[in-house]
Amino acid sequence: MDLQLAGFVATEMLRSSARAVLNAPPLRWRYSGSRSARLSIAPQDLRTADPTVAAEIYAGRFAFAGKFALANGRSPFEIVPPSEEWAKALYGFGWMRHLRAADSALSRANARALVEEWIDMQGRWHSLAWNIEITARRVLAWLAQSPLVLEQADIAFYRKFAASLTKQVDYLISMRRLMRPSLMRLQVTIALAQAALCLEQQSLQRRSARWLEKELKAQILADGGHMSRNPGLILQILLDILPLRHSYVALSLMPPQMLLTAIDRMMPMVRFFRHGDGAVALFNGMGPTPADIIATLLAYDETRGEPPLSAPVSGYQRLQMKDILVMADAGAAPPVLFSQEAHAGALSFEFSDAADRIVVNCGMPWAARKTWEPVVRHTSAHSTLEIENISSADFPRKALTKKLLGPVMTHGPRRVACETESNSIQSELVMSHDGYARSLGCIHQRHMTLTTDGREVLGVDEILPASGKNLPEDIAYALRFHLHPYVRASLVRDGEGVLLLLMSGRAWKFTAAGMKAAIEESLYFGGADGARRCEQIVLRGSLAQMSQIRWRFSRCQPLFSEKLAQQENKELDLPL
């Protein structure tokens, strides 16, 4: 463990001890919620609601995070959670938006009953229910859905609801002081800023505005990316700060300038990471794309211009010609405290032809993350070069580090070089990273070219010695190209090439100079239906054989594409 990481662990041990003391029963008086609160406005909820879910909830069927539980006449808060993710979803109360969408007296009464059950039961101080992140989500959900639970409610319920809400806000204020810099602290700050506006707490409005300015300035990068380098977090943050901006306007208050700046920066990044089919590229923790959320966010995009071709601060690059799009991860490891979802996918890329996604990364599942995390974060789950079956980044091996800091990236690429050049013939991208310098003494360099006619994607991957190092010839490598589940791959002439048939009927051919390709099994987590079987093209070799790997994707002629489509009879794999 290096000195920086050791310092983070020591600091978090002190913070954890302080949080434990504040959470102890004798000190819970500080969260009494005794101040009177008056709800003045309810913020928008931009997340999509499904009124059919309301009927399921009323019937006592609770389905969250891929798990299902029956209440059988009991309170859902008495059920033994089928998974921790299920419990987080239950205690976060985001499901109340479905009850509001039903827009009936029955759904309103059901919502009030469930909220009251939670308030009455939480005198027991359930530890997971009072997790800081879950509490912040619950505060935002209660504020947004307050019209649902308060319409036709009596004064006794109103007071109970307001007192509990104030108690939770007080708790977040106290716990925020002990939080390390993190996405969670930004989420807590957003919840406090929204609560200050809705509850008309002027003192908290001033403080939360200062906190919000500081967090957004620190976490939102100059090109609109998030410090974690996770494209999915851009979507999450926008879903929370767009309603916050609206709340300021509704109260005729000037939003903090950094809030407006962050929104203006982040909106183009939503378009930057989208493929032709509308899905977001699978880099550094991104999982299935919520199409409804993308549509909602794009409706707020006032510029609606072409996405930028470069996000150098976030560490991503785009090559685009006609319908062909290549996106590449050309960034260093994020700061340790923001790397809980970062992947060892340095120099990995994704490639699409219009609405057909061809080369992808495996992505992060939306459920059972802890189970799949070690697999999907490994370099082998990305379309890049893996050397000696080792990841280009390391993750915690010590239980104490993982317990205190989460599954952070302990070591990763620090020096990532990137150069781009375009002319009338082609666009080029040259990248290199030092993720293997410490463990193997080598540098991975990747040179990618997209021709202006959009008919070829060319690549050269090379293993170079790190400064002052000598490369042993017995170093083995595997160059992987994970294919989207809808791509059908067939070997040509015993691996001299690979034919790729797309859903649209178009076809591409993959070849590698002097090497034979293999088609191997892979998994894809970018779909809403969970893990899907897919395939990957793999080139295996060693430095003794070849240190420079040249490969090419070429679009086939339409006539040949039609013939291939007629010959290909494989059915698509079903979800696992």
Side-chain angles (χ1 to χ4, degrees):
M1 184 184 297
D2 62 26
L3 292 178
Q4 183 188 41
L5 188 60
F8 288 144
V9 171
T11 302
E12 187 57 24
M13 289 178 69
L14 294 174
R15 284 196 175 108
S16 181
S17 299
R19 287 196 295 266
V21 170
L22 285 179
N23 268 328
L27 292 185
R28 277 189 248 145
W29 57 268
R30 71 171 62 227
Y31 316 123
S32 63
S34 59
R35 300 194 315 276
S36 61
R38 183 172 69 88
L39 282 160
S40 59
I41 61 170
Q44 294 176 303
D45 187 348
L46 299 183
R47 293 170 173 85
T48 303
D50 182 357
T52 62
V53 178
E56 295 290 311
I57 292 174
Y58 181 74
R61 293 187 287 267
F62 295 85
F64 306 128
K67 298 293 183 179
F68 176 82
L70 281 172
N72 291 325
R74 297 173 296 162
S75 166
F77 307 109
E78 294 177 343
I79 298 174
V80 176
S83 72
E84 184 176 311
E85 292 164 319
W86 184 94
K88 288 180 177 180
L90 176 69
Y91 292 132
F93 278 79
W95 43 266
M96 280 209 301
R97 69 176 63 93
H98 305 303
L99 296 177
R100 189 176 183 183
D103 193 25
S104 67
L106 183 61
S107 63
R108 288 189 289 272
N110 193 17
R112 278 196 300 275
L114 290 170
V115 168
E116 191 164 25
E117 284 177 6
W118 187 88
I119 294 173
D120 292 341
M121 293 182 66
Q122 288 316 301
R124 305 174 191 174
W125 200 257
H126 192 289
S127 59
L128 184 59
W130 285 90
N131 170 281
I132 304 172
E133 181 180 8
I134 295 172
T135 303
R137 297 246 58 93
R138 184 169 57 248
V139 166
L140 288 172
W142 281 23
L143 291 171
Q145 309 309 331
S146 55
L148 169 72
V149 297
L150 295 179
E151 185 177 346
Q152 300 176 345
D154 57 34
I155 190 64
F157 177 82
Y158 182 94
R159 288 173 176 169
K160 180 183 284 190
F161 179 80
S164 178
L165 195 52
T166 305
K167 176 181 179 179
Q168 294 174 66
V169 170
D170 287 348
Y171 173 72
L172 290 178
I173 293 172
S174 295
M175 300 302 285
R176 184 189 178 280
R177 303 167 188 160
L178 300 172
M179 297 179 71
R180 63 177 180 264
S182 61
L183 172 67
M184 191 186 304
R185 194 166 78 177
L186 173 58
Q187 293 172 330
V188 168
T189 303
I190 293 170
L192 289 173
Q194 192 67 269
L197 295 172
C198 296
L199 299 175
E200 291 189 333
Q201 296 183 6
Q202 294 184 358
S203 174
L204 182 56
Q205 285 178 17
R206 292 190 293 271
R207 285 184 292 161
S208 61
R210 293 195 301 269
W211 296 337
L212 187 63
E213 287 264 10
K214 182 177 179 181
E215 293 297 334
L216 290 174
K217 186 176 182 179
Q219 296 194 34
I220 305 304
L221 303 175
D223 55 18
H226 184 258
M227 189 176 289
S228 65
R229 304 192 62 238
N230 183 347
L233 296 187
I234 299 172
L235 310 181
Q236 292 182 33
I237 294 169
L238 281 171
L239 286 173
D240 289 333
I241 64 176
L242 284 170
L244 182 58
R245 181 182 66 177
H246 185 269
S247 294
Y248 275 105
V249 174
L251 293 172
S252 300
L253 298 174
M254 177 60 69
Q257 182 56 48
M258 193 59 211
L259 174 64
L260 303 177
T261 301
I263 292 172
D264 289 343
R265 289 176 179 175
M266 296 171 76
M267 278 299 188
M269 291 298 283
V270 176
R271 290 180 284 114
F272 177 90
F273 284 110
R274 294 178 72 219
H275 283 283
D277 64 350
V280 174
L282 300 173
F283 294 113
N284 287 302
M286 181 63 199
T289 298
D292 52 338
I293 288 175
I294 294 291
T296 299
L297 293 177
L298 291 177
Y300 281 84
D301 187 359
E302 298 174 355
T303 60
R304 303 192 181 187
E306 290 296 318
L309 289 177
S310 176
V313 184
S314 297
Y316 292 101
Q317 297 289 335
R318 284 170 60 110
L319 300 177
Q320 187 166 14
M321 292 292 176
K322 298 184 178 180
D323 289 338
I324 308 305
L325 172 63
V326 174
M327 274 186 277
D329 180 347
V336 172
L337 296 180
F338 289 88
S339 66
Q340 284 88 351
E341 293 187 336
H343 287 200
L347 310 195
S348 64
F349 78 102
E350 295 202 344
F351 157 44
S352 59
D353 179 355
D356 291 304
R357 296 175 71 185
I358 303 174
V359 175
V360 296
N361 295 312
C362 290
M364 178 71 84
W366 62 275
R369 286 196 167 202
K370 289 187 177 179
T371 301
W372 289 107
E373 187 178 87
V375 176
V376 300
R377 297 179 77 185
H378 196 276
T379 298
S380 59
H382 299 80
S383 295
T384 188
L385 184 72
E386 176 194 26
I387 305 177
E388 285 289 324
N389 198 30
I390 297 173
S391 262
S392 59
D394 296 331
F395 304 100
R397 294 185 176 90
K398 295 185 177 180
L400 178 61
T401 303
K402 191 168 185 177
K403 180 180 178 181
L404 292 173
L405 299 181
V408 296
M409 183 179 286
T410 53
H411 294 95
R414 295 301 171 198
R415 295 178 61 85
V416 179
C418 178
E419 296 181 5
T420 60
E421 183 178 342
S422 295
N423 53 45
S424 60
I425 300 175
Q426 59 194 23
S427 292
E428 296 182 73
L429 175 62
V430 181
M431 310 170 286
S432 66
H433 78 85
D434 65 350
Y436 289 112
R438 191 178 64 137
S439 57
L440 298 173
C442 58
I443 301 293
H444 172 206
Q445 179 174 285
R446 167 166 277 181
H447 185 172
M448 298 184 68
T449 302
L450 174 59
T451 58
T452 53
D453 59 7
R455 301 193 64 83
E456 287 190 318
V457 178
L458 312 171
V460 180
D461 284 278
E462 191 168 4
I463 300 175
L464 304 172
S467 179
K469 303 286 186 177
N470 294 318
L471 289 179
E473 290 188 348
D474 59 350
I475 285 182
Y477 55 76
L479 181 56
R480 303 177 186 275
F481 304 87
H482 295 270
L483 303 175
H484 191 273
Y486 289 165
V487 176
R488 300 173 180 179
S490 303
L491 288 177
V492 176
R493 291 191 293 275
D494 195 28
E496 291 183 10
V498 181
L499 290 176
L500 307 174
L501 179 65
L502 313 184
M503 285 289 288
S504 63
R506 294 178 180 178
W508 287 73
K509 183 178 180 180
F510 172 86
T511 55
M515 299 188 74
K516 288 194 174 184
I519 297 178
E520 301 180 6
E521 290 185 351
S522 181
L523 288 172
Y524 177 76
F525 295 95
D529 50 359
R532 291 182 68 94
R533 294 186 181 92
C534 62
E535 295 176 319
Q536 58 176 316
I537 301 171
V538 184
L539 302 175
R540 300 183 186 277
S542 67
L543 287 183
Q545 299 170 308
M546 189 178 297
S547 64
Q548 191 180 77
I549 312 156
R550 294 181 175 273
W551 48 269
R552 176 192 306 258
F553 286 92
S554 304
R555 180 183 278 177
C556 299
Q557 294 296 327
L559 178 61
F560 181 74
S561 173
E562 292 174 6
K563 291 181 178 179
L564 179 62
Q566 293 171 1
Q567 295 170 1
E568 186 62 64
N569 294 314
K570 289 195 304 181
E571 295 185 1
L572 296 176
D573 286 321
L574 298 175
L576 292 176

